[in-house]
Amino acid sequence: MEETVFKKLITVSAGVVLASGLAACGSSSDSGSGGSGGSGDITMGFAQVGAESGWRTANTKSIQASAKDAGIKLKFSDAQQKQENQIKAIRSYIQQKVDVIAFSPVVETGWDTVLQEAKRAKIPVILTDRAVDSSDKSLYKTFLGSDFVLEGNKAGQWVVDNAATNDVNKDGKINVVEIQGTTGAAPAIDRKKGFEDKISADPKIKVVASQTGDFTRDGGKKVMEAFLKSQKDIDVVFAHNDDEGLGAIEAIEAAGLKPGTDIKIVTIDAVKDGMTALSEGKINYIVECNPLLGPQLMDLAKKVVAGEDVPARVETKEGEFDQEQAKAVLADRQY
Ligand code: GYE
């Protein structure tokens, strides 16, 4: 039901897209302040990555709900995973003279020009969820999000700690196939690195194939289908998010194998669908990545607009889950 509301929002916003000069570059929408937080004067332009995953949908809802609660007027756009759309959205927020711009950069590089434009217009920028790779740290006020290297570390450590059971084919080698997130995105780069850093401790563990699934279920399914054809002995799948892991499950089942048993699966995010698969034993381990960034983002926005100092980096707290832990928390999972 919540999903329907989300889809409607995207559809309803089509008219606004044309009106704000963002034609053919994703969708955007405006929403009134409505809240009672007393900051009704602040307008935030938020350039979202897209709606590629369960994580992203939960993140969008969190931002929209928290803006309302904080009394911040939100202009929201969905870039459909394209950097050019995000750049257009940010330029239109600059033109509209919003008070603060927040965005989750689809890839790490290529932002300096548009961020300089925001700086010249004296509009503060907050990076949420994903970082940019820029040497000029004055182009944004702060970063709010997760430590993706640590997430990759945790996934890698789990493969190492459970080497005996992860050697499904019992040949003394643990062959891992990796389904990467969006090429060039901070979480894809950092999770890959964090994972490799940990598995390098055990020479039995090797990544034998690695490809991008673009953080989508369909992408994960297609990549896994190809891996099942090209690789003989797959012991473990490391998927950079739950959705890709869920797509891999479909491919594994279609090949007549049992996910979680014939091939072990470790993913990152811990959204409800992923946690359900974990509780059913189809995924073996999930590292949490928290999408509920809205409340912290609105707090930071108020401070930045008021000219207050904020920390350069604000990290979210996260855990990890095995099957029993997933069963215990599933019923109360919001997203
Ligand atoms: O893990 C994935 C989403 O940037 C942390 O993006 C985010 C990632 C998340 O598509 O599901």
Side-chain angles (χ1 to χ4, degrees):
M1 184 278 262
E2 280 181 348
E3 191 143 70
T4 327
V5 173
F6 180 70
K7 278 189 188 137
K8 258 192 208 148
L9 234 162
I10 300 279
T11 328
V12 165
S13 62
V16 184
V17 173
L18 294 166
S20 60
L22 281 170
C25 73
S27 54
S28 70
S29 66
D30 286 15
S31 65
S33 51
S36 51
S39 304
D41 288 331
I42 298 179
T43 298
M44 170 187 284
F46 189 92
Q48 182 59 291
V49 171
E52 73 283 3
S53 64
W55 190 100
R56 189 64 55 197
T57 305
N59 179 249
T60 292
K61 282 184 193 157
S62 169
I63 286 155
Q64 290 170 334
S66 317
K68 209 165 178 230
D69 289 348
I72 289 179
K73 186 164 185 262
L74 184 70
K75 293 177 180 288
F76 180 90
S77 62
D78 168 343
Q80 297 171 358
Q81 296 238 71
K82 292 202 179 71
Q83 181 173 34
E84 69 207 74
N85 290 347
Q86 277 195 308
I87 291 175
K88 279 184 202 159
I90 293 169
R91 289 211 164 110
S92 103
Y93 295 148
I94 297 172
Q95 265 173 19
Q96 294 172 63
K97 299 189 169 43
V98 298
D99 301 297
V100 54
I101 291 172
F103 80 115
S104 177
V106 58
V107 292
E108 278 190 342
T109 54
W111 298 102
D112 283 29
T113 307
V114 71
L115 291 182
Q116 273 151 9
E117 291 167 21
K119 192 179 171 185
R120 270 200 298 278
K122 298 195 170 33
I123 301 175
V125 172
I126 300 176
L127 303 177
T128 78
D129 157 35
R130 297 185 183 178
V132 298
D133 184 3
S134 168
S135 52
D136 186 353
K137 305 283 178 254
S138 77
L139 294 178
Y140 51 89
K141 295 288 177 201
T142 179
F143 163 86
L144 165 67
S146 309
D147 182 340
F148 300 132
V149 176
L150 183 64
E151 292 171 351
N153 282 161
K154 289 179 182 174
Q157 193 60 49
W158 176 81
V159 178
V160 172
D161 290 345
N162 298 278
T165 44
N166 283 333
D167 182 9
V168 180
N169 297 319
K170 301 289 168 229
D171 57 0
K173 285 182 290 183
I174 298 156
N175 291 336
V176 180
V177 293
E178 178 182 35
I179 308 177
Q180 292 181 44
T182 302
T183 306
I189 296 167
D190 293 354
R191 286 171 182 170
K192 180 175 182 47
K193 183 183 179 305
F195 185 82
E196 280 166 359
D197 286 352
K198 288 294 171 186
I199 62 161
S200 64
D202 185 342
K204 293 193 299 298
I205 306 171
K206 289 240 153 56
V207 175
V208 292
S210 182
Q211 261 178 47
T212 178
D214 217 9
F215 280 131
T216 65
R217 212 172 276 213
D218 193 47
K221 184 176 178 204
K222 290 200 174 109
V223 169
M224 193 63 209
E225 282 166 357
F227 286 161
L228 285 163
K229 285 191 190 121
S230 65
Q231 302 298 319
K232 274 202 204 72
D233 296 319
I234 301 173
D235 295 291
V236 177
V237 174
F238 168 39
H240 284 195
N241 76 347
D242 287 353
D243 283 82
E244 292 175 334
L246 292 162
I249 288 174
E250 289 176 33
I252 292 168
E253 286 176 338
L257 297 168
K258 223 175 147 198
T261 305
D262 296 330
I263 296 180
K264 305 281 180 179
I265 304 178
V266 50
T267 66
I268 297 175
D269 273 359
V271 295
K272 208 158 195 166
D273 286 354
M275 295 287 269
T276 303
L278 176 58
S279 72
E280 293 165 354
K282 294 184 176 186
I283 292 179
N284 303 86
Y285 196 64
I286 301 185
V287 176
E288 185 180 26
C289 180
N290 185 1
L292 307 180
L293 303 178
Q296 280 170 295
L297 173 61
M298 299 311 147
D299 280 354
L300 286 168
K302 285 181 186 175
K303 289 190 175 137
V304 158
V305 171
E308 289 173 34
D309 280 344
V310 292
R313 208 182 152 86
V314 180
E315 268 172 28
T316 42
K317 286 211 168 38
E318 291 156 352
E320 51 283 325
F321 302 93
D322 62 16
Q323 187 174 11
E324 291 315 311
Q325 290 159 331
K327 280 184 189 161
V329 300
L330 196 52
D332 296 327
R333 203 87 183 143
Q334 287 178 49
Y335 54 90

